[in-house]
Structures are given as C-alpha cells and as structure tokens.
C-alpha cells in the first residue's frame, strides 16, 4: 500500500485502517440545559445528567465506562448501542434497586478488501498504552493478509486488541 498525503509525500504501509467516525445529532436538545458538548452526558448507569428518569444509549451517550476510565466518552459501534440499550433499560426498570454500572467492552469487526478486521476493548492512539505485535504467519511478505494481532496493554493488563486476518 502507498498512501499519498496532502503535501504530496508518500508513505508505504503494510496495513491501512481508515475511520470516518460519527457525530451525534444533539441539535434538538439545544436550550435544554443538558451537557451536549459531545453527545449527552450520562453517569455510569447511562442516566442523563441533569434529567430525572431519562437514560441514553448509542452514539449519543457519553458516559464513564468504569472498566477503562472515569472520564465520560462516546462509543459508536452498533453492538455497543445494543448493549447500552439493555443497560439503560435495566437502570430504568431497577429504579428502586441499584443497577450495575454500564462497564461494557467496545468491539466491532469488518470485512474489507479481503481483510477480516476485529477490534475489541480500548485501543488508544495517543501512546498511553504499550503495544505488542504478533504476526500469525511470519513467513508471508504481506503482513496484513498473513495475519497480525496487536495487543494494547496498560500497567501490565491487556486493555484492547486489534486483529487482522487472525485465526
């Protein structure tokens, strides 16, 4: 693979991963008094901060996933929206009893151009985690098609994993 950058320079790569991201539509909540600076701010149970008996799930929910950090963040994968919906419903239905925090594991997978890409957990791109790279079939010239697994570790604990064509 050869990437041509905006300045015309070229970068050779074994693997190219692109993400276009998502943006939650919170315009309808403007003027509500809720924190909608990056989605809707929720607590660890997905209750909307500043609104009674209201929960949020999916790309719009920004909550502290205590499995990874107390800092509220959004996660946009569809499977996370499904699991958040279940956790949010549990919060609403268990209003007389404490519910468990929504400590979910983000994950997604995709098949693109003959590559099976699987991502699980937290995969920080800011250098805050140590990375280990394992080639599944080290004799192959094309690392991605031969299979590669990248593990992300913090304080000796694995927090995330990216696998490309791994068995």
């Amino acid at each position: 693979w050869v990437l041509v950058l905006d300045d015309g320079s070229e970068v050779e790569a074994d693997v190219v991963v692109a993400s276009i991201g998502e943006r939650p539509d919170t315009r309808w909540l403007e003027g509500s008094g809720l924190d909608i600076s990056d989605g809707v701010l929720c607590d660890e149970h997905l209750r909307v901060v500043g609104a009674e008996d209201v929960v949020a799930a999916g790309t719009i929910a920004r909550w502290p996933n205590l499995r990874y950090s107390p800092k509220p963040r959004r996660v946009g994968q569809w499977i996370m929206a499904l699991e958040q919906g279940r956790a949010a419903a549990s919060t609403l239905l268990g209003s007389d009893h404490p519910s468990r925090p929504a400590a979910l594991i983000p994950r997604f997978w995709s098949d693109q151009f003959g590559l099976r890409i699987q991502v699980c957990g937290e995969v920080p791109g800011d250098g805050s985690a140590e990375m280990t790279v394992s080639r599944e079939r080290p004799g192959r010239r094309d690392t991605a098609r031969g299979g590669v697994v990248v593990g992300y570790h913090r304080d000796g604990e694995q927090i995330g994993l990216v696998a490309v064509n791994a068995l």
Side-chain angles (χ1 to χ4, degrees):
W1 299 90
V2 177
L3 303 174
V4 179
L5 304 180
D6 289 341
D7 66 1
S9 62
E10 295 182 352
V11 176
E12 290 186 29
D14 291 329
V15 178
V16 177
V17 178
S19 174
I20 58 172
E22 80 286 327
R23 186 174 42 224
D25 183 4
T26 57
R27 290 175 297 188
W28 62 282
L29 292 169
E30 289 175 2
S32 67
L34 300 176
D35 180 343
I36 57 170
S37 57
D38 179 25
V40 176
L41 180 62
C42 300
D43 69 8
E44 66 273 11
H45 301 275
L46 297 170
R47 291 184 291 249
V48 174
V49 173
E52 192 171 329
D53 296 327
V54 177
V55 295
T59 301
I60 200 167
R62 178 171 43 104
W63 94 109
N65 186 343
L66 300 180
R67 181 179 297 274
Y68 299 103
S69 169
K71 180 182 177 187
R73 297 184 305 184
R74 291 184 308 102
V75 178
Q77 292 92 27
W78 69 267
I79 191 117
M80 183 62 70
L82 175 76
E83 291 176 348
Q84 284 178 330
R86 289 179 182 149
S90 177
T91 294
L92 286 177
L93 293 172
S95 60
D96 294 338
H97 306 289
S99 61
R100 292 185 303 201
L104 307 171
I105 300 174
R107 62 194 183 282
F108 67 93
W109 58 93
S110 180
D111 290 307
Q112 297 184 24
F113 305 104
L115 299 174
R116 173 75 170 172
I117 303 166
Q118 299 166 293
V119 181
C120 182
E122 184 180 22
V123 289
D126 61 3
S128 65
E130 292 180 35
M131 294 172 42
T132 58
V133 179
S134 301
R135 294 177 68 169
E136 294 294 300
R137 294 169 209 86
R140 291 206 42 178
R141 191 173 141 251
D142 184 342
T143 301
R145 296 205 187 284
V148 63
V149 177
V150 180
Y152 292 80
H153 306 270
R154 187 178 292 134
D155 299 324
E157 183 176 330
Q158 186 166 4
I159 59 170
L161 187 73
V162 176
V164 180
N165 278 11
L167 298 177

